[in-house]
Amino acid sequence: MDGVIQYTKRRIDAVIGRSPEQTEQGSNAGVHLQLWVLVLLVVFPIAVALIVSTKQQGIVTSLGNLAPGTYALENYREAIVDYNFGRFMWNSLVMSTVVVAGKLVISVCAAMAIVYYRVPYKDLVFLFILFTLLLPVPVRFIPLYQLINDFGWGNSLLAITVPYLASATAVFILRQHFLSIPTSIVETAKLDGVGPIKFMVYVLIPMSKGVLVGVSIIMFVYAWNQYLWPLVIINSEANQVAQVGLQLLQGDVQGGQLSWSLVMAGSILTLIPPLVLMIIFRKPLLETFTIQQK
């Protein structure tokens, strides 16, 4: 079927007098145009939010209102200092870092055990791990809320980190990567008498740095964007995270005091940490998505 399509395409190009080189250039130009359109669609809302964060009231009613304002420093200072948004971002950073570190340790150990060791019913265990992806997070809120309060962890860092220390997605990605490592390296390590810990530290981790970085970025963004669970389990404003802290920037809505400039300033601030990490580590991240696709 593909051959028929290619033959028909060549016949059409021959009829209208286009060479294969011209056809390829036209195809590349079309792809580039589509990519630019998609990039503009993604960037446009962020650009609008950035512009609104520089205005006094942040009200945009026409395209003429999309000119940058002169209240950027004042709005960002008010959000960070007056509304304590810097504290919220610090809480999110600590939570995300702890979650990423815990998930890496647990996921590497779990994936290594599934791939390299004779664990009874390990295929069934792996299927059970993947099955947890089918359970929506809100379904687990009530029993998880009761369990956290029984442990006395309510309104603390433990409440927003411990429930996220296990990741089925990370185990799946690392398992796929470990299966791609040549068996000769594994056999050589066994013949040299390398133990499990040394094998993980000196063989697996050095050969998996790119994937581990990519997985870490994915897990960091996931933890950073948590909203519903911190909203439920955290009662103190001082312990709240940035995504929930955006609500405090809305002010008194009923009194007509909603300042979109402050809301957009907080949104831009919450966007910066994951965006910077994704830009810096874009290559390992793309490598991780390629492994997950395979």
Side-chain angles (χ1 to χ4, degrees):
M1 187 65 183
D2 294 338
V4 174
I5 295 175
Q6 294 295 331
Y7 174 76
T8 305
K9 184 178 179 181
R10 288 195 299 268
R11 293 292 299 172
I12 294 175
D13 293 338
V15 170
I16 62 178
R18 289 194 306 184
S19 64
E21 292 77 8
Q22 293 174 334
T23 303
E24 183 177 358
Q25 291 177 357
S27 177
N28 291 336
V31 171
H32 291 166
L33 179 61
Q34 294 176 12
L35 290 176
W36 276 111
V37 171
L38 293 176
V39 169
L40 291 177
L41 290 177
V42 173
V43 172
F44 181 74
I46 301 176
V48 172
L50 183 61
I51 293 173
V52 170
S53 67
T54 64
K55 294 180 173 294
Q56 183 176 11
Q57 296 296 331
I59 298 177
V60 177
T61 58
S62 64
L63 293 177
N65 298 129
L66 292 179
T70 58
Y71 290 85
L73 294 178
E74 181 178 348
N75 291 335
Y76 283 94
R77 185 207 62 79
E78 185 176 356
I80 295 174
V81 178
D82 296 347
Y83 285 86
N84 204 23
F85 202 76
R87 176 67 180 181
F88 302 149
M89 292 191 64
W90 172 255
N91 294 337
S92 291
L93 180 62
V94 173
M95 177 193 70
S96 302
T97 304
V98 173
V99 168
V100 169
K103 280 186 176 182
L104 278 181
V105 174
I106 295 175
S107 300
V108 168
C109 293
M112 185 178 68
I114 291 173
V115 174
Y116 295 110
Y117 294 95
R118 295 181 181 179
V119 180
Y121 306 106
K122 66 178 182 179
D123 292 336
L124 183 62
V125 172
F126 180 65
L127 289 177
F128 177 77
I129 293 174
L130 294 181
F131 176 76
T132 60
L133 295 174
L134 303 178
L135 296 176
V137 175
V139 174
R140 298 173 286 175
F141 270 12
I142 295 179
L144 184 59
Y145 182 85
Q146 295 176 347
L147 181 63
I148 292 298
N149 285 326
D150 291 340
F151 286 158
W153 293 350
N155 195 33
S156 67
L157 179 63
L158 293 173
I160 55 179
T161 55
V162 174
Y164 294 103
L165 292 184
S167 172
T169 303
V171 172
F172 172 75
I173 294 176
L174 292 176
R175 173 185 176 271
Q176 297 301 106
H177 173 69
F178 290 165
L179 289 174
S180 66
I181 295 178
T183 56
S184 59
I185 298 178
V186 180
E187 296 298 331
T188 302
K190 290 182 179 180
L191 293 175
D192 292 340
V194 177
I197 302 300
K198 287 186 177 181
F199 177 71
M200 179 179 63
V201 174
Y202 295 105
V203 179
L204 282 185
I205 293 180
M207 296 186 65
S208 310
K209 289 182 179 179
V211 178
L212 292 176
V213 172
V215 171
S216 299
I217 300 303
I218 296 174
M219 294 187 296
F220 182 90
V221 174
Y222 173 78
W224 180 269
N225 290 329
Q226 287 302 311
Y227 170 79
L228 192 56
W229 176 245
L231 178 65
V232 172
I233 200 64
I234 299 297
N235 300 322
S236 174
E237 180 179 318
N239 297 330
Q240 200 52 268
V241 297
Q243 301 298 335
V244 180
L246 286 174
Q247 287 187 341
L248 302 177
L249 299 179
Q250 296 181 3
D252 187 6
V253 180
Q254 296 180 354
Q257 299 297 323
L258 179 58
S259 177
W260 285 110
S261 58
L262 286 178
V263 175
M264 293 300 105
S267 301
I268 294 298
L269 289 173
T270 57
L271 180 65
I272 291 176
L275 181 62
V276 170
L277 289 178
M278 293 180 69
I279 292 175
I280 295 176
F281 300 105
R282 61 187 181 277
K283 291 184 179 180
L285 188 61
L286 292 175
E287 180 183 349
T288 303
F289 280 124
T290 302
I291 293 175
Q292 188 176 8
Q293 185 179 4
K294 291 181 180 179

